[in-house]
Amino acid sequence: MNASRSDLTYGSFGFVGVGKLAAQMVKGLRRAGMQGPIHLLPRSRSISDELARDWDCSISESRHVFARDCDVVFLACHSRDVPNAIAGIPFTDGNTVISAVANLAVDVLSEQLSGSPSIYRVMPSMAIEYGVGAIPVYPGAAPVERLLSLLGEVIVARDESHFDALTAATCCHGWMYAILDELIQGLHRGGLTVPEARSAVLSNVFAAAQVCVRNPLVRPRDFADAIAKPGTYTGLGLSYIEEHQGLWALEGAVSEVLIALRERKFA
Ligand SMILES: NC(=O)c1ccc[n+]([C@@H]2O[C@H](COP(=O)([O-])OP(=O)(O)OC[C@H]3O[C@@H](n4cnc5c(N)ncnc54)[C@H](OP(=O)(O)O)[C@@H]3O)[C@@H](O)[C@H]2O)c1
């Protein structure tokens, strides 16, 4: 789905909790051409001062004014901080709250938030800043999906257990940077400059992702098996990764994260 600003139901936005994710979302919204007001309700000021100065945001003078002025409120603090962060904000059924808090289900949020705003959950990655990446949302609703589609690829979760699995997929995004860095450093030790290694790794990994996107019916492993035959250099490397449990470790990491998410391990 590709929305344009003129398709959108919402005109004004707000952020409760103005940390890393809020900053990335603000930049993503502005880069997508969103010109409406963005109001911030921060605790400390360093990030919100930068967003006010460089990204056309304003810092709300009161919680009452904030609730009145925002069609959509993004909740972007940690679950342990939610009670204090939302205390005294007089939400009404005119507000839509989109929560990026990993641990709080919709029914828990609805008990904590005053009034009766519409409530949705999202779990984007930091790539939202550049308008790319998956954005799990629960529940689905056309206006919210249109808004989020400005910022990435919206995936509607069937239920909150499905949302947790999509959250684990968002965690995979974070691991990719560590994997890319290992490949770059290995090639650097092998004789490439860091910029050469970086460029070669990123374009090859990007190309593999593109091939998979263009061939949705082919299992990625089938491409690997077709290339990495015994007696080839690619095959030698893949065998090394498998012998050292590299692929198994990735699968194990997904299941560890899922268990932790379903146990609500981190606040
Ligand atoms: N970063 C990501 O890529 C990402 C992606 C998906 C979901 N999330 C989720 O988004 C949430 C925020 O993550 P983050 O990485 O942005 O964390 P963060 O950088 O630590 O930001 C959290 C912000 O919440 C603020 N806060 C805490 N208590 C508050 C209160 N009482 N009133 C107002 N603001 C308060 C903090 O203010 P101070 O500046 O004063 O400490 C901080 O700026 C988490 O639940 C995380 O799981 C993050």
Side-chain angles (χ1 to χ4, degrees):
M1 186 195 321
N2 289 314
S4 69
R5 276 185 299 120
S6 57
D7 295 330
L8 296 178
T9 309
Y10 308 117
S12 57
F13 301 89
F15 285 84
V16 177
V18 187
K20 291 185 288 297
L21 181 66
Q24 288 149 359
M25 292 183 90
V26 164
K27 292 173 191 176
L29 286 169
R30 289 295 188 225
R31 287 190 174 120
M34 186 64 67
Q35 289 166 350
I38 299 182
H39 305 280
L40 308 175
L41 203 54
R43 181 170 63 178
S44 56
R45 292 289 288 259
S46 60
I47 294 179
S48 47
D49 282 349
E50 182 212 323
L51 294 175
R53 189 183 62 238
D54 299 336
W55 295 90
D56 194 17
C57 297
S58 58
I59 297 171
S60 283
E61 62 198 56
S62 78
R63 290 169 178 251
H64 185 270
V65 169
F66 179 81
R68 185 198 65 198
D69 287 351
C70 301
D71 295 331
V72 173
V73 172
F74 291 101
L75 189 53
C77 56
H78 296 279
S79 54
R80 60 180 176 270
D81 295 324
V82 167
N84 285 335
I86 60 171
I89 304 177
F91 290 111
T92 69
D93 57 9
N95 298 119
T96 294
V97 173
I98 302 182
S99 167
V101 182
N103 279 334
L104 297 185
V106 168
D107 60 346
V108 176
L109 283 163
S110 100
E111 280 167 19
Q112 295 194 1
L113 295 165
S114 70
S116 46
S118 309
I119 302 172
Y120 300 89
R121 298 179 67 193
V122 288
M123 196 47 58
S125 74
M126 61 173 274
I128 201 168
E129 178 170 350
Y130 304 103
V132 292
I135 310 184
V137 60
Y138 177 80
V144 171
E145 291 168 45
R146 272 199 299 277
L147 166 64
L148 295 172
S149 71
L150 292 173
L151 297 170
E153 186 75 29
V154 175
I155 305 176
V156 179
R158 290 188 292 278
D159 52 39
E160 286 181 295
S161 175
H162 189 214
F163 185 86
D164 283 339
L166 291 165
T167 298
T170 299
C171 296
C172 299
H173 170 91
W175 309 338
M176 289 304 143
Y177 298 101
I179 293 169
L180 292 172
D181 196 67
E182 280 304 315
L183 296 171
I184 290 166
Q185 294 308 322
L187 289 164
H188 175 48
R189 285 191 289 275
L192 298 184
T193 65
V194 170
E196 286 167 347
R198 192 179 164 106
S199 164
V201 166
L202 294 184
S203 59
N204 277 311
V205 170
F206 187 66
Q210 286 289 315
V211 168
C212 293
V213 167
R214 288 175 195 212
N215 294 275
L217 301 181
V218 182
R219 218 182 130 173
R221 179 73 209 202
D222 292 343
F223 288 119
D225 290 342
I227 303 163
K229 299 245 184 249
T232 66
Y233 295 112
T234 308
L236 181 73
L238 184 57
S239 297
Y240 185 93
I241 293 169
E242 288 178 331
E243 278 160 23
H244 289 78
Q245 314 294 336
L247 301 183
W248 180 86
L250 289 174
E251 190 188 332
V254 169
S255 78
E256 280 287 299
V257 167
L258 255 176
I259 291 166
L261 277 164
R262 289 179 173 148
E263 289 173 349
R264 307 280 174 247
K265 184 168 178 160
F266 300 121

